[in-house]
Structures are given as structure tokens and as C-alpha cells.
Amino acid sequence: MQKEHFDIIVIGSGPAGEAAAMNAKKKGRTVAVMCDLESVGGSCTHYGTIPSKALRHSVKEVMQFNANPMFRDLGDARKLSFQQVSKHADRVVYEQVQMRTDFYDRNHIPIYKGRASFLDKNTIKLVGKRKKLSATNFVIATGSSPYHPPGVDFSHDRVFDSDTILNMGYSPRKVTVMGAGVIGCEYASIFGGLGCKVELINPASGLLTFLDTEIADALSYHLRNLGVRSRHNEEFEKMKYSDDHIVTYLKSGKKIRSDIVLWANGRSGN
């Protein structure tokens, strides 16, 4: 069985892992990186910050186009589907992966594809492969995943989290977003900008309570203009699943029917 030794092995190729690997290399250490995805970048590049910001930017440009009086003579306001704006996000992700792959190549940092399993404090094995790597030190930067509460069937075709929403194959007309944190508010604005009716379910008393009150109030105002209804102080109870819709039951007794549910109520460390 092959075995290679490095000064430092970084497990995870997201922003934290990339920064650790580049800094170690520039200080003269031998470095390797473990990546459990098909390409580098981690959840930030493939599921989180990069694609969501690309989606938001595309929707913002469409909204500016529709609001510009110069283009009113072209007919009805132009609408794009979620799939159309997703194609732009896919291109941005591809460009990010190419750029970050080039970083590793230029710094001669090898990338090993697969999941790492520790055999002892200095040795890891690639799961399912006949490959061992050893290092004096390890940096574990494995990121986070969307929180999945018990009692919610995420295998259903109409229930999504912030990772799987990017693979949605149709355009909904009504969306329920569970959780009004940064991710929930961002996707609520994206779907609202695409012309969807959005129900934003918030267990707290207001949006993004870590912000100044004036900023949070401004956000609420703009979301309302996009057709987003914010329901504060509401807690989830259960869901009823159908082939063409989902009914979300809240502990207050309210029932909300929508085409899809996006669960965006936090992330858990891997």
C-alpha cells in the first residue's frame, strides 16, 4: 500500500482549508489537501456563498431591467425562471473552481480526492482506496452542512435545503422558507425577485436581530415589496407531503400550502 509523508495535511478544500494550505506552503512546509468533492472549493464554492450571490446578482439585474422606463416599450416585464438564473450561477462556480485549482497547481500542492479516515494520530487512509498518507500535523477544516431536524423528509421532491435547492428542476409559484437568518432572507429575496409568493417563517421576533434595527426594518420593507410575507414568532410543527405541494403546519395553528419548502434554519458543523 502506497504511503506518502507531508509536514501538514489539510482535510477540506473550502476557504479555511485553502488559506491554511497556502500559508503553510509559503512558509516552506510540504502540504497536501484532502477534498471529498469532485473539485476544490468546498461548500462555499459549490453550494453556499458563491452560487447564492451569483443568483442574487442575476435576479437584481433582471429587476433593474424591468424597472427601467427605457425598456417599457418592449412589452411585458421580462421574467426569468429559476433554472435560467441557475445557469449563470453554474458558470460562476466553474470559473471559481478553475481559479482555485490553479492556485494549488502553481504552489505545487497535491489534491487527493476522497474522504479521510484516521488510522492513528499521524496517518490517514482514503476511504475505499488503497492509499495512506502521513503527516506531522493536520488541519481539519471540514466545514458545515444544512441542519436537518427530525421529522422532516428531505428525500421528498419538494423539500429542499440550502445545498439541494440549486438542483431544483422547476420554477415554483409559491415558496415557504423555514428560517429567516442570512440564508433564509437571501433566498426569500431571490424567489421574490423572480415573482414567486414567499412565506418567510421566522422563530425570532424580527429579521436578522444582530443588525441595527434600522437596517432590519429596511430589509423587511424591501422584502415586503418583493411579495415576501414575514411571519415572526412562529415555530414549525409538521409537514404534510403531496406530489404537487407541501402543507406546513405551525404551532400557532396556521397551515401554509406551497409548491416547495426550503429549510434554511441553520447549519451544523461536519
Side-chain angles (χ1 to χ4, degrees):
M1 184 179 292
Q2 295 178 323
K3 185 175 180 180
E4 296 180 55
H5 183 81
F6 298 89
D7 293 330
I8 295 175
I9 291 179
V10 180
I11 303 176
S13 66
E18 179 183 299
M22 297 302 167
N23 276 284
K25 187 68 176 182
K26 292 182 188 304
K27 294 183 186 301
R29 307 295 195 271
T30 57
V31 184
V33 171
M34 300 290 304
C35 174
D36 66 345
L37 300 176
E38 287 299 314
S39 51
V40 298
S43 294
C44 174
T45 296
H46 294 278
Y47 306 118
T49 304
I50 300 301
S52 69
K53 298 303 179 291
L55 286 172
R56 186 174 61 81
H57 179 71
S58 296
V59 172
K60 183 179 179 181
E61 287 192 320
V62 173
M63 291 170 61
Q64 290 175 337
F65 176 88
N66 291 336
N68 193 323
M70 290 178 59
F71 305 115
R72 286 178 182 168
D73 293 339
L74 297 180
D76 293 336
R78 191 175 170 196
K79 289 186 177 181
L80 294 182
S81 68
F82 186 79
Q83 292 69 38
Q84 287 173 307
V85 294
S86 291
K87 289 180 179 178
H88 170 67
D90 291 341
R91 186 174 71 252
V92 172
V93 169
Y94 173 80
E95 292 170 353
Q96 285 282 318
V97 168
Q98 296 301 110
M99 178 182 69
R100 298 186 183 287
T101 301
D102 185 52
F103 290 162
Y104 290 109
D105 289 342
R106 285 188 318 204
N107 287 278
H108 305 289
I109 299 175
I111 306 294
Y112 293 90
K113 302 291 180 63
R115 296 180 67 85
S117 175
F118 277 94
L119 300 178
D120 57 52
K121 68 177 183 178
N122 293 110
T123 310
I124 59 174
K125 177 185 177 183
L126 287 171
V127 176
K129 300 179 182 178
R130 294 181 58 82
K131 182 76 172 178
K132 285 184 179 180
L133 302 172
S134 64
T136 307
N137 295 286
F138 291 86
V139 175
I140 300 176
T142 50
S144 64
S145 300
Y147 169 64
H148 284 187
V152 177
D153 182 10
F154 286 90
S155 66
H156 194 278
D157 291 341
R158 293 183 177 271
V159 179
F160 299 90
D161 60 32
S162 56
D163 285 1
T164 59
I165 191 66
L166 298 167
N167 299 320
M168 184 174 60
Y170 50 89
S171 291
R173 289 177 298 175
K174 185 173 181 180
V175 178
T176 297
V177 180
M178 297 297 305
V182 173
I183 297 173
C185 288
E186 186 167 48
Y187 273 100
S189 69
I190 289 170
F191 282 112
L194 290 173
C196 303
K197 288 184 62 178
V198 182
E199 300 278 354
L200 183 60
I201 313 303
N202 182 19
S205 59
L207 297 179
L208 304 183
T209 53
F210 58 85
L211 295 175
D212 289 342
T213 304
E214 292 85 353
I215 298 176
D217 289 345
L219 174 62
S220 297
Y221 172 80
H222 288 294
L223 287 176
R224 190 162 55 248
N225 279 350
L226 290 176
V228 177
R229 178 188 293 180
S230 300
R231 296 180 180 268
H232 303 305
N233 297 311
E234 294 283 6
E235 293 186 42
F236 170 77
E237 184 175 34
K238 63 179 181 179
M239 286 184 194
K240 184 177 180 182
Y241 309 93
S242 299
D243 291 340
D244 59 351
H245 69 275
I246 299 287
V247 178
T248 303
Y249 293 78
L250 305 177
K251 289 185 178 179
S252 63
K254 296 184 179 71
K255 297 187 294 184
I256 301 173
R257 173 173 169 153
S258 56
D259 297 324
I260 68 166
V261 171
L262 169 59
W263 193 278
N265 201 8
R267 296 179 69 89
S268 303
N270 293 326

